[in-house]
Amino acid sequence: MESPQKTERYGEVAKEIAAVLDGENNVIARMATVSNILHHAFDHYFWTGFYLVDPEKPDELVIGPYQGTLGCLRIPFGRGVCGAAAASRKTQIVEDVHAFPGHIACDARSESEIVVPVFNGAGELVAVFDVDSDRKSQFDHTDKEGLENILKGVFA
Ligand code: SME
C-alpha cells in the first residue's frame, strides 16, 4: 500500500478502534479489540499482537492477546525485535528479520516486522505491540506513526 493511502487507512482504523473501545475499561478487552481490528484492516499484517511486561518478572515479556499463528510465550528483554523494543523503549522497524541479530522465529514465514513500545498513563512500559509480515520491507514511518497513535490510547 502507498503511504498516503496507508496514512488515511490508519486514521480510519484509529476512529473505528476508539468507537468500539468507548466506555470499555478492561485492558484485556481493549488489547484483544486493537489486535483484531488492526489485523483485519491491513493485508501486510501476518501476525499482530501484544507481549506484556510480566509483573512477576519485570525483565521478561509474556504473550498477550494476538491474532495469527502460534506465538512464542516468553521473550526476555533484549532478545529479538520485541526484546529490543522493550529494552530501548523505542519502536523497531526491521526490513529483513533474518538479518536481525537474535531474531526469534516463532513462525518461519515472518520476513519483516515492526514492534512499538506501549506505555501506561504514568509513562511506564507495560507491553510491546508486534506486527510481522510474511513479506520483506513492509513497514515504514507511516506504520510507526499510525500504530504509535493508536497504542497511546490503549492503557491511558
Ligand atoms: N519476531 C519476534 C518474536 C515474536 S513473534 O514473531 C510472534 C521477535 O524477534 O521479537
Side-chain angles (χ1 to χ4, degrees), residues 65-121:
Y66 69 96
Q67 299 272 312
T69 54
L70 184 67
C72 308
L73 269 61
R74 288 183 175 271
I75 300 177
F77 274 39
R79 272 211 60 208
V81 188
C82 291
S88 67
R89 288 156 167 74
K90 296 227 164 12
T91 296
Q92 309 287 311
I93 294 176
V94 178
E95 308 225 337
D96 177 359
V97 295
H98 304 294
F100 191 91
H103 169 251
I104 304 162
C106 301
D107 188 312
R109 285 169 290 182
S110 287
E111 294 284 352
S112 61
E113 176 163 5
I114 183 167
V115 184
V116 180
V118 183
F119 303 96
N120 64 15

Side-chain angles (χ1 to χ4, degrees), residues 11-84:
E12 291 166 0
V13 171
K15 279 191 201 145
E16 186 187 343
I17 289 173
V20 176
L21 293 186
D22 187 34
E24 178 54 69
N25 293 325
N26 181 281
V27 290
I28 295 180
R30 295 176 69 83
M31 288 188 283
T33 301
V34 168
S35 301
N36 182 286
I37 292 177
L38 279 165
H39 189 74
H40 295 286
F42 292 103
D43 71 3
H44 62 305
Y45 280 38
F46 171 74
W47 193 96
T48 311
F50 290 86
Y51 278 94
L52 308 175
V53 178
D54 185 345
E56 287 168 21
K57 293 186 184 171
D59 55 356
E60 199 165 287
L61 298 165
V62 62
I63 194 77
Y66 69 96
Q67 299 272 312
T69 54
L70 184 67
C72 308
L73 269 61
R74 288 183 175 271
I75 300 177
F77 274 39
R79 272 211 60 208
V81 188
C82 291

